[in-house]
Amino acid sequence: MKKPIVIGNLKMNLTAELGREYIKGFLPFMEHVSESEIVLAPSYTVLPLLAPEIRGSQLQLAAQNMHWEDAGAYTGEISPVLIKEAGCQWVILGHSERRQYFGETYTHVRRKLESAFRHKIVPVVCLGETLAVRRAGRTFQIVEDQIDEVLKGLKPKQAAGTVLAYEPIWAIGTGKTASPWQANEVHHFIRNKIETLFGKPTAAEIRILYGGSVNPENCEALIQESEIDGFLVGGASQKEETFQKIISCVEENWKMKKSKKLRQRLK
Ligand code: PEP
């Protein structure tokens, strides 16, 4: 059975000193993690400082973005080669803050995705609608367009190795979480779309995370939903204790999901 993923997107918040403290408290906790893949995404400058500290643990590092080219005259950008050198195995692509503040489009995201495949970096592609789109009843249509732009034409194996994060923009950093039902409905839609594009095994294999004001209070109801394979956590990952509570919640509930699936198979 696939493993759930919990990613902490620390955004532009963690200094080197705080990063080291964070990790010190985090590594002993990681020894008890058995079900999930745990990934931290600090700022670029903090990545190479944390990489030696986490070596030998199950904790993995992600960059919050990258350019699609390996090198060149792209002032202020960072390449896949450089993030790998800094210790990253993962990269977040198309986060709504990149789309909103830096003009990133899904055409850019597609180029970055292909580059991530070339460099064997696990891509986490963010999808999701604005509040206006939701109110207009166009959520499915927008999410479908985003999937078409980013994933169409990939090989099924590449699609299966891509992690999707459904992050309704109105829920990011706002304290307004999608209800478990709302989130699961979109996840279900995304999985059906993946099945249409790439077939059933890919749809079963691909991991679809939820992101948007996840916290220790709301995570249990969300992870119990059948289609949710983990979380992309922003604000609540800034404190180790709250992030750890979310991870523990995923761990416990995943064990239950696994035994439920096993019981169903044995019936
Ligand atoms: C995010 O930045 O991806 C995110 C989900 O943020 P928050 O958890 O703060 O809403």
Side-chain angles (χ1 to χ4, degrees):
M1 192 177 166
K2 63 189 169 187
K3 279 189 157 196
I5 305 167
V6 189
I7 304 174
N9 176 13
L10 295 157
K11 311 199 183 189
M12 206 170 66
N13 290 311
L14 203 73
T15 60
E17 194 186 335
L18 289 176
R20 285 206 187 91
E21 269 174 41
Y22 191 107
I23 289 297
K24 222 184 268 168
F26 213 85
L27 289 179
F29 169 82
M30 280 302 296
E31 286 170 23
H32 306 287
V33 173
S34 58
E35 302 293 318
S36 343
E37 294 199 77
I38 310 299
V39 184
L40 270 187
S43 300
Y44 300 129
T45 52
V46 179
L47 287 167
L49 304 174
L50 297 193
E53 311 257 348
I54 66 166
R55 202 162 289 141
S57 80
Q58 297 178 67
L59 194 56
Q60 302 177 75
L61 292 175
Q64 296 172 17
N65 179 33
M66 68 174 199
H67 198 275
W68 54 83
E69 293 289 352
D70 291 1
Y74 300 99
T75 303
E77 286 291 329
I78 194 156
S79 76
V81 175
L82 295 172
I83 66 161
K84 268 196 103 168
E85 188 181 60
C88 285
Q89 301 97 327
W90 297 62
V91 65
I92 300 171
L93 299 177
H95 190 281
S96 68
E97 286 153 15
R98 303 257 2 128
R99 287 180 275 138
Q100 190 179 347
Y101 304 127
F102 303 100
E104 198 163 302
T105 66
Y106 280 105
T107 309
H108 297 133
V109 178
R110 172 59 183 244
R111 294 178 80 170
K112 292 175 185 204
L113 182 63
E114 288 174 4
S115 177
F117 293 141
R118 277 198 304 279
H119 289 277
K120 300 194 172 18
I121 299 170
V122 185
V124 181
V125 173
C126 301
L127 312 165
E129 80 287 2
T130 60
L131 189 57
V133 165
R134 175 159 283 268
R135 285 194 173 140
R138 295 175 55 235
T139 297
F140 291 152
Q141 186 199 323
I142 289 300
V143 169
E144 179 165 27
D145 290 349
Q146 293 171 342
I147 295 173
D148 278 335
E149 273 191 70
V150 182
L151 301 183
K152 228 178 189 171
L154 293 181
K155 298 187 180 97
K157 204 170 163 220
Q158 290 176 317
T162 301
V163 176
L164 299 178
Y166 169 57
E167 298 212 303
I169 296 170
W170 49 270
I172 297 180
T174 59
K176 286 189 201 125
T177 324
S179 71
W181 184 84
Q182 276 175 324
N184 204 56
E185 180 188 50
V186 181
H187 278 230
H188 186 68
F189 175 83
I190 293 172
R191 213 176 290 281
N192 280 346
K193 173 75 185 172
I194 297 295
E195 186 175 330
T196 308
L197 289 175
F198 303 105
K200 239 188 170 94
T202 305
E205 211 179 314
I206 196 166
R207 288 176 291 179
I208 311 174
L209 314 183
Y210 170 77
S213 298
V214 173
N215 61 39
E217 285 71 49
N218 60 28
C219 61
E220 176 145 37
L222 285 160
I223 198 65
Q224 283 173 349
E225 292 292 342
S226 57
E227 302 286 356
I228 298 180
D229 301 321
F231 298 125
L232 177 47
V233 185
S237 66
Q238 282 182 39
K239 288 212 169 78
E240 303 101 279
E241 310 85 66
T242 43
F243 193 41
Q244 287 172 12
K245 278 185 189 160
I246 294 170
I247 296 168
S248 300
C249 164
V250 170
E251 288 272 299
E252 284 313 305
N253 281 278
W254 205 261
K255 282 179 202 154
M256 285 189 260
K257 267 192 186 180
K258 265 193 349 194
S259 51
K260 193 172 159 196
K261 277 211 172 136
L262 195 64
R263 280 200 304 277
Q264 278 168 350
R265 237 183 277 152
L266 292 174
K267 261 186 197 166

